[in-house]
């Protein structure tokens, strides 16, 4: 169960910091998660200290860290510094959608709607490639831009139309982002209230998806050589993995079943025998114990080792076949 009190968030942040000491190769994603928990615990100076710690080194994603830092700073009175960071990000023009969206949402949350819209429009102009398949982060940015422009009562443009087309929810974005709908919460008409509850549930679903991103539902993938080594050392696990081909088929089938059941933020984690043996030792158990396998997958996912599923159809398949996902396991 995820933390839901300030004390529990502080405890989780401390656990993540201890984990980062054990796994220095995963330090950046673990510290980012710890900082998020400190923000939820209202320890915003502590979160800023973690962002500064990461930025003092050579982080893999400095734009994302700076955007998160700006958002956090503004929340506890450091507006000028936050604005300066956001202005700097816009000048640097990140190649990923997430920093742009975080910066824009920070402006939006402080009633800077025009600045938020300008930031999102600039990001869309910089990042959109005509005809290319869009990653989740870009779809999210377009939906956020749609919401901000709806609040500003701006006419739809081509990018708003694209956001509408990419939206997979049952309630259209125009209705979901209608600024007037909040007034219906004061209605005494049961029909209006029921309709608003449905809209809010749909919107909450999208927020749940976003919040779940650091906590993927992950499935283990054993590359062929690793699986051969595993079964040679621990033949008791052959009932779990009768053949490597069956293992790959099971991965795709399991993920599709989870997606069909409504699960979000699915991922695949690559397993290795030395890593699994070290995990089993840390649990004071034998690697032959099949019950450890899902726990091992969860631990790898918690260390930000999960690759999101499904990949884009035009990118390499997760199974290392050398073919595109659309021409391999992603084929209908």
């Amino acid at each position: 169960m995820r933390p839901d009190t300030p004390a529990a968030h502080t405890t989780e942040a401390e656990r993540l910091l201890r984990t980062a000491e054990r796994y220095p190769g995963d330090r950046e994603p673990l510290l980012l998660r710890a900082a998020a928990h400190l923000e939820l615990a209202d320890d915003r100076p502590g979160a800023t200290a973690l962002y500064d710690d990461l930025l003092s080194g050579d982080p893999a994603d400095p734009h994302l860290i700076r955007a998160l830092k700006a958002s956090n700073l503004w929340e506890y009175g450091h507006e000028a510094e936050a604005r300066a960071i956001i202005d700097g990000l816009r000048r640097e023009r990140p190649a990923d959608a997430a920093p742009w969206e975080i910066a824009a949402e920070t402006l939006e949350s402080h009633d800077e709607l025009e600045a938020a819209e300008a930031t999102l429009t600039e990001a869309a102009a910089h990042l959109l490639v005509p005809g290319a398949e869009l990653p989740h982060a870009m779809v999210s940015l377009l939906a956020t831009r749609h919401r901000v422009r709806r609040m500003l009562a701006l006419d739809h443009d081509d990018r708003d139309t694209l956001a509408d087309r990419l939206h997979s929810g049952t309630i259209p974005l125009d209705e979901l982002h209608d600024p007037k709908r909040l007034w219906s919460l004061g209605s005494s008409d049961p029909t209006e209230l029921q309709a608003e509850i449905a809209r809010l549930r749909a919107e909450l679903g999208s927020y749940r998806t976003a919040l779940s991103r650091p906590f993927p539902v992950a499935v283990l993938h054993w590359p062929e050589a690793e699986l051969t080594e595993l079964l040679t050392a621990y033949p008791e696990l052959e009932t779990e993995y009768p053949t490597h081909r069956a293992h790959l088929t099971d991965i795709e089938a399991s993920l599709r079943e989870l997606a069909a059941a409504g699960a979000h933020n699915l991922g695949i984690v690559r397993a290795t025998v030395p890593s699994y043996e070290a995990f089993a030792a840390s649990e004071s158990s034998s690697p032959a114990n099949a019950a450890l396998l899902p726990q091992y997958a969860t631990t790898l996912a918690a260390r930000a080792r999960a690759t999101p599923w499904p990949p884009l159809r035009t990118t390499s398949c997760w199974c290392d076949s050398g073919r595109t996902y659309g021409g391999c396991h992603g084929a209908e």
Side-chain angles (χ1 to χ4, degrees):
M1 183 176 293
R2 295 183 193 173
D4 58 2
T5 66
H9 282 295
T10 299
T11 299
E12 179 64 10
E14 292 171 349
R15 185 190 70 80
L16 289 165
L17 291 174
R18 291 193 299 271
T19 304
E21 292 179 358
R22 291 177 56 197
Y23 302 103
D26 300 323
R27 185 172 182 271
E28 184 171 329
L30 289 167
L31 261 61
L32 284 176
R33 287 180 56 192
H37 281 290
L38 289 178
E39 288 188 29
L40 291 168
D42 206 28
D43 182 6
R44 294 193 174 274
T48 294
L50 290 184
Y51 294 135
D52 286 339
D53 186 0
L54 286 167
L55 291 169
S56 68
D58 186 21
D61 201 343
H63 294 120
L64 175 65
I65 298 169
R66 287 206 289 274
L68 291 168
K69 179 183 174 181
S71 177
N72 181 56
L73 284 169
W74 203 323
E75 291 299 322
Y76 72 110
H78 296 270
E79 177 183 341
E81 186 176 355
R83 285 183 182 277
I85 292 172
I86 291 172
D87 289 344
L89 284 171
R90 292 178 66 178
R91 287 193 298 271
E92 292 170 11
R93 299 168 68 79
D96 182 67
W100 290 96
E101 185 173 10
I102 292 168
E105 288 184 332
T106 300
L107 293 164
E108 178 193 2
S109 67
H110 294 279
D111 297 322
E112 301 277 349
L113 292 179
E114 289 83 2
E117 195 276 335
T119 300
L120 292 163
T121 297
E122 185 179 345
H126 176 53
L127 298 175
L128 275 178
V129 178
E133 189 175 359
L134 300 183
H136 175 84
M138 195 64 214
V139 175
S140 177
L141 184 144
L142 289 172
T144 298
R145 180 178 181 271
H146 183 289
R147 182 184 69 243
V148 172
R149 288 173 59 81
R150 190 84 167 84
M151 294 174 68
L152 288 168
L154 298 175
D155 292 334
H156 265 38
D157 62 8
D158 291 344
R159 288 160 187 157
D160 290 322
T161 301
L162 177 59
D164 284 328
R165 181 168 60 81
L166 295 171
H167 176 60
S168 58
T170 56
I171 297 177
L173 282 182
D174 269 348
E175 185 177 350
L176 196 61
H177 294 161
D178 183 358
K180 297 178 181 178
R181 69 187 176 86
L182 293 177
W183 290 101
S184 66
L185 291 174
S187 172
S188 59
D189 184 340
T191 303
E192 287 186 8
L193 287 171
Q194 195 64 40
E196 183 56 27
I197 289 170
R199 295 186 191 99
L200 290 171
R201 280 178 174 162
E203 191 165 15
L204 179 60
S206 66
Y207 279 116
R208 280 177 174 159
T209 300
L211 289 171
S212 70
R213 287 174 199 158
F215 308 91
V217 178
V219 176
L220 279 178
H221 168 213
W222 293 91
E224 188 167 11
E226 294 290 340
L227 186 60
T228 299
E229 182 180 345
L230 177 77
L231 297 180
T232 299
Y234 309 105
E236 300 90 338
L237 296 177
E238 286 182 359
T239 55
E240 299 290 326
Y241 307 112
T243 66
H244 186 254
R245 183 173 181 178
H247 169 53
L248 298 182
T249 300
D250 285 346
I251 290 173
E252 185 70 23
S254 297
L255 289 167
R256 291 191 181 205
E257 183 177 345
L258 287 166
H264 297 286
N265 193 28
L266 301 172
I268 297 174
V269 286
R270 186 179 295 262
T272 68
V273 174
S275 169
Y276 178 55
E277 289 175 332
F279 172 75
S282 71
E283 296 293 314
S284 301
S285 184
S286 166
N289 179 5
L292 286 179
L293 294 168
Q295 299 175 39
Y296 174 51
T298 300
T299 299
L300 290 177
R303 291 168 54 196
R305 294 299 183 91
T307 300
W309 180 95
L312 298 177
R313 294 181 61 80
T314 54
T315 58
S316 298
C317 189
W318 54 263
C319 72
D320 301 328
S321 64
R323 291 176 288 173
T324 63
Y325 178 65
C328 190
H329 281 91
E332 297 296 336

